[in-house]
Amino acid sequence: MNLFRLVADLMHLVSIFILLLKMQKTRSVAGRCSRISFKTQALYATVFLTRYTDLFANFQSLYNTTMKVFFIASSLYIVFLMKFKFKATNDPRLDTFKAQYVVGGAAALALIVNYAFTVQEVLWTFSIYLEAVAILPQLFMLTKTGEAEVITTHYLFALGTYRGLYLVNWIYRYWTEYYVDWIVWIAGAVQTGLYCDFFYIYFTKVLKGAKFELP
Amino acid sequence: EPKEAIHDEL
């Protein structure tokens, strides 16, 4: 474990707490001008469920196991909140990204490009590829509504920073322990890349107190 | 190369 990865995981936690806070505070999944994509949250739940199949078989540390349980539980809870508790505020007509394309693409790629052709390894690889593109429905929704509440932008900032810091962690691990993992490196780079234009708007506007509006 | 990948990251 290194500081980059620890802070990255904490940013991931923060993003989940921001989302839960937003939903509890506004008691909805849609604010005045921004919405949370149910598809993205369902994709994240899928990512954690397919990645942590080794939850009981591969004990790394108490930290690792605790975080895995938290990510699975929180992502399922968020899906539950959106699907049941705050269902009335969830408008599927605005969540129009074709999620089946990214699920199908990630599954096909995981069957072709993986480290071992075993059920667990292919599921893990699928979860890595899926996580890279799981934010697309949310970003797509943002482009449709054209603006977002500040708390939604903080959620996206934390989420983007988590994987961005993992890139730094991978550089550090390659440099210190010759750790190489092409699949997570490339997927992580794509994942962080998807946030670039968001980060640009976030840093140039939101942090200056302006509203988050797409040009 | 196929390796029994033990994934130590989240």
Side-chain angles (χ1 to χ4, degrees), chain A residues 100-172:
Chain A
Q100 53 269 40
Y101 290 168
V102 291
V103 173
L109 193 59
L111 286 167
I112 300 162
V113 181
N114 54 56
Y115 291 133
F117 199 71
T118 63
V119 171
Q120 186 154 4
E121 194 58 30
V122 170
L123 283 177
W124 176 86
T125 311
F126 167 71
S127 82
I128 294 291
Y129 295 149
L130 188 62
E131 186 190 357
V133 292
I135 197 64
L136 282 175
Q138 181 66 61
L139 293 179
F140 196 73
M141 184 181 271
L142 219 56
T143 55
K144 275 172 76 87
T145 52
E147 56 181 319
E149 273 167 341
V150 172
I151 193 166
T152 308
T153 59
H154 293 325
Y155 164 68
L156 289 170
F157 172 71
L159 207 48
T161 307
Y162 132 71
R163 211 58 176 171
L165 282 173
Y166 256 83
L167 293 177
V168 180
N169 150 67
W170 291 324
I171 293 167
Y172 178 79

Side-chain angles (χ1 to χ4, degrees), chain A residues 37-47 75 78-79 82 130:
Chain A
S37 161
F38 172 75
K39 288 180 180 174
T40 284
Q41 300 309 319
L43 290 176
Y44 280 138
T46 309
V47 165
S75 61
I78 286 168
V79 165
M82 294 188 79
L130 188 62

